[in-house]
Structures are given as structure tokens and as C-alpha cells.
Amino acid sequence: MDFDIADPSLAEKGARRIAWAGRRMPVLETIRERFRSQRPLEGRTVAACLHVTAETANLMMALRDGGAQVLLCASNPLSTQDDVAAALVEDNIPVFAVRGEDAERYYRHIHAVLDAEPDVTMDDGADLATILHTDRTELNPVGSTEETTTGVIRLRAMAKDGTLRLPVVAVNDSATKHLFDNRYGTGQSAIDGILRASNVLLAGSTVVVVGYGDCGRGVADRADGFGAKVVVVEVDPIRALEAAMDGHQVLNADDAAEIGDVFITVTGNKHVLRGRHFERMKDGAILSNAGHFDIELDLEGLIGMAVSRRPLRENLEEFELADGRRLCVAAEGRLVNLGAAEGHPADVMDMSFANQAMAAEWLIGNAGSLEPRIYTLPEELDDQVAAIKLATMGCGLEELTEEQKQYLASWQVGT
Ligand code: NAI
């Protein structure tokens, strides 16, 4: 079996972490049990480009139990958990991922999983899908799935200019994905990453959240819970207003730059914090990013402004400016929750990856009848995922009476 990982001897540690995560993923486990008996992916190959974490390992194992041959590479050079990669290889799942790999090795790994001529590709950020449209046009998978907002935006741009040649399931569009993973997962794990990188006290400090979408809302809410003064920067007036009424201070980036102690970008956009903002920041400000790509902070600009740079701690680097101020960047400006912590908790990846598993099944089940466009999983699957999750959390769910159903469906009765 061909693979490329950092250290096979880490397998036992990885296996223990995978098992721990698996215990907290009951919805995925329900699907895995059904996959074991129904084998909906029998004889098919799934190539995945996802963060190589303990939660992803559980997804890979569920797909294999569904009959698929699976291969995995990383969707970010800094997010790979080398122990998990080792455990998967030990379990005969080929992995091509090494934490800290350079761009050449990262793309070599992407090509390695595509060499298996997959029936389904699974993306977090659309890297496989993009290569399928450029270097590997000879490959014709049944379809692809996409995990994150930025990937869906890239794929929608392809669909808009008429170049998309595959059916794609936008897993991020499922309610049981973006309303929970992006919000509660990023909310908790981005704060976790900042704390592990810096160990700063958030209580009483000013945390600036740039972008108030699903992720930004979660991050702002969790920072608020730690006792921070939260400042939100937004370009969308509705979301800015929402942030204001959620109790946060809302400022433009120039004004926020002057007062922030900790900055977190979650916009999916480029250079949202750049030279003009770095010029205004306080000595010791911590800069981090939880958006998909490492483009939200203009790091090249910062490097150009700095007179020196040095590592401060693991995952925290200091840049000294000509006037003596020092700005500290966490996790190289890459996803701070995966670069400096372990990514989202398994409890929330449970629902995201239940959707991924069902998306792969749906693509195979509908092979041949799909068009090259972006699909969202049927609403009833979303409801099923939510219902299973609720039950495993010990929550109750009220049911509509016949009288209530009729009332809601009628227009004649007003009172
Ligand atoms: P979203 O589209 O719901 O929110 C993004 C927000 O940023 C929007 O409200 C937009 O108006 C705002 N924005 C754009 N440019 C801006 C600028 N220059 N200044 C201030 N605000 C600006 O997207 P979502 O779902 O919150 O995702 C954000 C990013 O996080 C994406 O790149 C996504 O792929 C990524 N993501 C990261 C995760 C992680 O584990 N760290 C998990 C899920 C998503």
C-alpha cells in the first residue's frame, strides 16, 4: 500500500484518540452501522481531502464499512494530526499527509489520492475539485462533496462561469452542518487555539472578530462568555446590525485595530487585516485567523513592515516593527483552531461527517442522473440527523397534533 506520513510509530496513540472521538459521534455511528449491513459504496473509491483529524478518521472508517476503498490527504498543510495519519495507515487506509508539509508535497499528496481514479471526491476547500478542472481533466468521478463555506463559494464561482463539470453536494449548506459546525465548532475551537498558542487571559481584554457570519457569531459569543469585550468588524450592514443587537461593539477595521488585544479573522476574504491596520495596532496584539485560507491576514505585508521576527512559543511568532511595537501571529495565520488546537470537537463533527457520509451515498445512489451543478442534501436527511443527535443528547421533541397541523395548513381559520 502506498502512503506518505510522518511517523508510523505514532499509530497506537492515534488509534486511542480516534476511538475517543468515535465515542462522541453517535450519528455517524448510526450511519456506519447501516453501511455495514447495506454496503452502499461497495466497489467504489472515495478520495478525501480533509483535515486529517481523529474525527475525519471515523468518517474514513465509516465509508470503508460502506464498502468503499478510501484514500485521504490533507486539506491544509498545518492541520494534520500525525498520530491519526499513522493509525489509519496501520488500519490499511492510505494517507498522504504530514503536518507542516510544504506546498510541493501538499500538492503531490493531492495528486496521489487522485491517482486512484476515485468515483467520489470529498473536499474541504475545493482543492481536489479545482485540480479535477485543471491538471486532472482525464478523471471523471460521479461527483464531489464540499465541506466548507469557502469551498462552496469557489465551486459556485465555477458553476456561474460555466466551467463546473461535476455534480457537487454542498455539505456546508445542510442546516445540521453550518448552523452547528461553523458556529459552535469554530466558536469553541478557535478560542481553544488562541489560548493554547498564547495562554492569554481573555477576561477584560478586547477581542476583535472580523466577519460575523456563522463562524464569527460563534467566536464572538464564546469570547463574550470568557469575559472579553467583543468588537465586531463587518462589511454587511444586516450582519453588523445583528452583531450590535447581540450586544457587541461594531466598528470599522481602522478603529477596531487601535483597541484590540486579540484579533480573529473569519471572513473567507483576502487581506481583511493589512498594513494600514497593523500600523494602528497596540504593542503585543495577537493576530489569528479561523477562515479557511491563510490569506485573511496580509502576512507578506507584515513581513515587509517588520524589522525582525522570532518564534515566541509553539504556534506563536512575534514581528517587531520599526517603531518597536511587536505583533504576534498565531499558527502562521492558518486556521488557528486546527493549527494550534485539535479542530472542532467530535460532538459537532458528528453531524458534519454524517452529512458527508450521506452525501457520498447519495452521489453513488444517483450516479448518472445528476447534472454538473451544486446540490444540497434533501431536507428530510437534515431532519433525520438533527433528530438522532437530539435523541443521543437526551433531549425531548414535541410533536404537532392533528388539529395543529390542520390549523397551520389552513388560511380560513384566523383565531
Ligand atoms: P459566512 O459567509 O457566513 O460569513 C463571512 C462573513 O464575513 C460575512 O458576513 C461577510 O460579510 C464578512 N466579510 C467578508 N469580507 C469582510 C471584510 N473585509 N471585513 C469584515 N467582514 C467581512 O462564512 P462562514 O461560514 O462564517 O465561514 C467563514 C470562513 O471560515 C470561511 O473561509 C469558511 O470556509 C471558514 N470555516 C472555518 C472553519 C474552521 O474550522 N476554522 C469551519 C467552518 C468554516
Side-chain angles (χ1 to χ4, degrees):
M1 184 179 90
D2 203 14
F3 61 87
D4 187 20
I5 58 169
D7 183 357
S9 75
L10 299 173
E12 197 193 325
K13 182 180 170 208
R16 273 187 268 123
R17 291 184 53 246
I18 293 168
W20 164 249
R23 277 161 54 185
R24 307 197 67 82
M25 303 179 82
V27 185
L28 184 64
E29 183 56 31
T30 307
I31 292 172
R32 191 173 172 184
E33 272 167 26
R34 182 170 63 73
F35 274 16
R36 274 189 202 114
S37 58
Q38 296 179 353
R39 307 275 292 176
L41 309 176
E42 192 68 63
R44 303 299 191 137
T45 300
V46 179
C49 177
L50 300 171
H51 300 296
V52 180
T53 65
E55 294 74 27
T56 303
N58 279 284
L59 171 62
M60 295 299 104
M61 285 147 66
L63 296 171
R64 185 180 55 185
D65 284 353
Q69 188 212 341
V70 290
L71 302 96
L72 176 64
C73 68
S75 58
N76 185 296
L78 203 60
S79 63
T80 297
Q81 298 170 2
D82 289 323
D83 55 347
V84 167
L88 284 173
V89 165
E90 174 93 4
D91 199 13
N92 292 316
I93 293 181
V95 179
F96 300 84
V98 174
R99 182 181 162 92
E101 62 197 5
D102 61 18
E104 185 274 324
R105 200 173 187 185
Y106 178 81
Y107 283 103
R108 183 153 37 90
H109 287 163
I110 285 184
H111 281 281
V113 299
L114 289 176
D115 287 344
E117 301 182 4
D119 298 288
V120 171
T121 56
M122 212 169 246
D123 261 323
D124 186 335
D127 280 345
L128 289 182
T130 303
I131 301 283
L132 286 171
H133 286 79
T134 52
D135 297 352
R136 303 300 295 266
T137 49
E138 82 282 8
L139 298 174
N140 289 301
V142 167
S144 191
T145 73
E146 175 51 55
E147 171 80 3
T148 198
T149 318
T150 283
V152 174
I153 290 171
R154 283 176 96 180
L155 291 159
R156 287 225 158 89
M158 275 187 200
K160 196 169 169 214
D161 74 12
T163 45
L164 186 70
R165 66 181 187 92
L166 297 169
V168 177
V169 178
V171 170
N172 189 66
D173 287 359
S174 294
T176 49
K177 198 285 181 181
H178 69 270
L179 293 179
F180 301 91
D181 169 311
N182 300 26
R183 186 168 182 178
Y184 303 100
T186 313
Q188 178 169 315
S189 62
I191 299 287
D192 185 15
I194 290 163
L195 295 183
R196 291 197 207 192
S198 67
N199 199 27
V200 291
L201 182 71
L202 292 182
S205 67
T206 298
V207 172
V208 176
V209 180
V210 187
Y212 203 67
D214 289 315
C215 295
R217 265 184 219 118
V219 174
D221 193 40
R222 291 303 174 253
D224 184 55
F226 270 95
K229 287 172 266 180
V230 177
V231 174
V232 169
V233 177
E234 246 300 342
V235 290
D236 178 325
I238 307 284
R239 288 188 161 174
L241 184 60
E242 208 179 346
M245 293 213 183
D246 282 344
H248 308 306
Q249 190 177 4
V250 178
L251 295 174
N252 66 34
D254 284 346
D255 292 340
E258 286 177 11
I259 59 172
D261 298 302
V262 176
F263 293 81
I264 311 169
T265 55
V266 256
T267 65
N269 204 352
K270 192 175 176 180
H271 295 174
V272 296
L273 292 179
R274 52 191 181 275
R276 58 183 288 153
H277 309 119
F278 303 146
E279 290 291 0
R280 292 172 156 82
M281 287 180 185
K282 295 196 280 192
D283 179 36
I286 294 171
L287 280 68
S288 67
N289 166 51
H292 185 77
F293 285 118
D294 59 342
I295 49 160
E296 305 214 4
L297 303 169
D298 178 9
L299 280 188
E300 276 176 29
L302 181 59
I303 291 165
M305 289 164 72
V307 291
S308 67
R309 59 192 282 191
R310 63 179 176 131
L312 281 181
R313 297 160 50 95
E314 198 180 350
N315 296 316
L316 195 67
E317 190 176 11
E318 179 181 271
F319 293 80
E320 187 172 344
L321 306 183
D323 60 8
R325 282 176 306 120
R326 293 155 300 178
L327 303 183
C328 309
V329 175
E332 302 172 15
R334 298 187 188 278
L335 294 156
V336 69
N337 57 328
L338 284 138
E342 293 173 59
H344 295 2
D347 312 64
V348 78
M349 293 316 293
D350 185 23
M351 292 192 287
S352 309
F353 285 165
N355 280 295
Q356 282 283 8
M358 289 191 302
E361 182 184 23
W362 188 83
L363 282 168
I364 295 294
N366 290 285
S369 64
L370 300 172
E371 295 161 29
R373 65 176 178 87
I374 313 282
Y375 290 87
T376 303
L377 281 178
E379 227 175 89
E380 55 272 21
L381 294 181
D382 236 353
D383 286 346
Q384 274 175 31
V385 170
I388 301 171
K389 190 73 181 171
L390 274 172
T392 64
M393 292 168 71
C395 299
L397 187 62
E398 181 66 345
E399 278 180 29
L400 289 170
T401 63
E402 279 311 314
E403 183 189 31
Q404 289 167 346
K405 281 185 198 164
Q406 278 173 22
Y407 176 76
L408 291 174
S410 68
W411 55 270
Q412 295 92 340
V413 187
T415 54

